[in-house]
Amino acid sequence: MSILIYAESAPDASGGKLKKVAFELASYAKKVAESWGTTVTAVTLNNDNTAELANYGVDKVVCVQHANLNDFNANSFAAVIQQVALKEQSKLVVLSATTDSLYVAPLLSVALGAGYASNVVALPISQSPMQVKRSAFSNKAFVITELKGNCNVISLAKNSFGLITSSGSATKESFHPDLASTQNQVQVTGVEKSTGKVTIADADIVVSGGRGLKGPENWDMIEELASVLGAATACSKPVSDLGWRPHSEHVGQTGKPVATNLYIAIGISGAIQHIAGVNSSKVKVVINTDPEAPFFKVADYGVVGDAFEVVPKLIEKLKAFKANL
């Protein structure tokens, strides 16, 4: 009756690195397992990082190797996790809140006949009935949700629990899934991968720009600041709509949700949809010339000033600080 986690890999799945969220899930599941008197099992797809998962409390890793799992396919991924959950007789399956896992989780819940709760932000309040705390209303409130399934599926909000190392080792087991029923449901015709940059999904820090930058030719400033901080770059919806930046960098409620440790918004006034999509970030810094910009009302730190003057000085100070470390 072990707790099962889906340890998600980077997009170049075959032999690629596990995402940071996989270790957060392991840390979370370990704490739950200690409370419930059980163990933690992780399922990996085309990945074999057993030792790394053991460092965060995983007791057993079920490794699934299959050529049809190299590219993301929600139906196939859900089918694999379902089969492993049934084999392990798992009463709780924990997934992350990445874009891919949020596609998989509802399909998995239906396949298992399980209860499902997204945006979970804390350890379960009770085991039977299972109650979890979730963020709601675009992170403006919390709700307590009760799950009544014999098996339950939850999605853990990013950076809501953190990483906790654990001593121990994990056993490894190979598993060969039956994917016959999912082979023709979805066909992947192409995959575009960004290389050489920190992705928004994996970033602890995101530097985002808006129309206040006046044009794509000024984006070097955003990229330089991101490089100094080891951050991902992002943008507001108008910027991607204008074609200044690719849509893959659009963050907000209508783009990619962001729950980073630090979010820096430069030249972004703060539309409701944008703020709602980044509000889970722990620290929000806003740089804008307009002191009445809506973003200042939700920011932890605000700088009223011209980005073309503020950001170069910030980069200079950060470089000097890092040089003295």
Side-chain angles (χ1 to χ4, degrees), residues 35-207:
S35 175
W36 291 7
T38 185
T39 58
V40 179
T41 299
V43 54
T44 63
L45 308 184
N46 289 342
N47 193 293
D48 187 19
N49 286 310
T50 303
E52 283 188 288
L53 289 167
N55 290 335
Y56 293 91
V58 172
D59 301 291
K60 178 181 177 181
V61 179
V62 177
C63 302
V64 180
Q65 299 286 340
H66 200 291
N68 291 328
L69 297 174
N70 285 330
D71 294 319
F72 177 70
N73 181 321
N75 293 300
S76 295
F77 281 35
V80 172
I81 300 169
Q82 177 214 12
Q83 290 171 38
V84 175
L86 291 174
K87 182 181 78 69
E88 297 295 317
Q89 297 182 324
S90 300
K91 297 300 182 183
L92 176 63
V93 184
V94 187
L95 291 86
S96 65
T98 64
T99 302
D100 287 355
S101 285
L102 287 175
Y103 275 115
V104 172
L107 296 171
L108 176 62
S109 175
V110 171
L112 289 171
Y116 172 53
S118 60
N119 296 323
V120 174
V121 296
L123 294 170
I125 297 169
S126 64
Q127 180 180 0
S128 183
M130 185 175 175
Q131 293 181 325
V132 290
K133 182 180 179 180
R134 306 168 52 233
S135 63
F137 304 113
S138 298
N139 305 305
K140 292 183 176 66
F142 296 107
V143 297
I144 304 300
T145 298
E146 184 172 302
L147 301 173
K148 299 181 179 179
N150 291 325
C151 173
N152 294 305
V153 177
I154 63 172
S155 294
L156 183 67
K158 183 183 176 185
N159 287 327
S160 62
F161 190 76
L163 304 180
I164 302 175
T165 56
S166 177
S167 59
S169 59
T171 60
K172 183 174 69 172
E173 177 184 306
S174 296
F175 180 72
H176 303 285
D178 179 9
L179 296 179
S181 62
T182 67
Q183 292 306 291
N184 298 319
Q185 291 179 333
V186 176
Q187 290 186 344
V188 179
T189 58
V191 178
E192 294 183 8
K193 299 178 181 178
S194 60
T195 58
K197 293 184 178 180
V198 179
T199 65
I200 293 172
D202 296 329
D204 284 327
I205 304 172
V206 169
V207 178

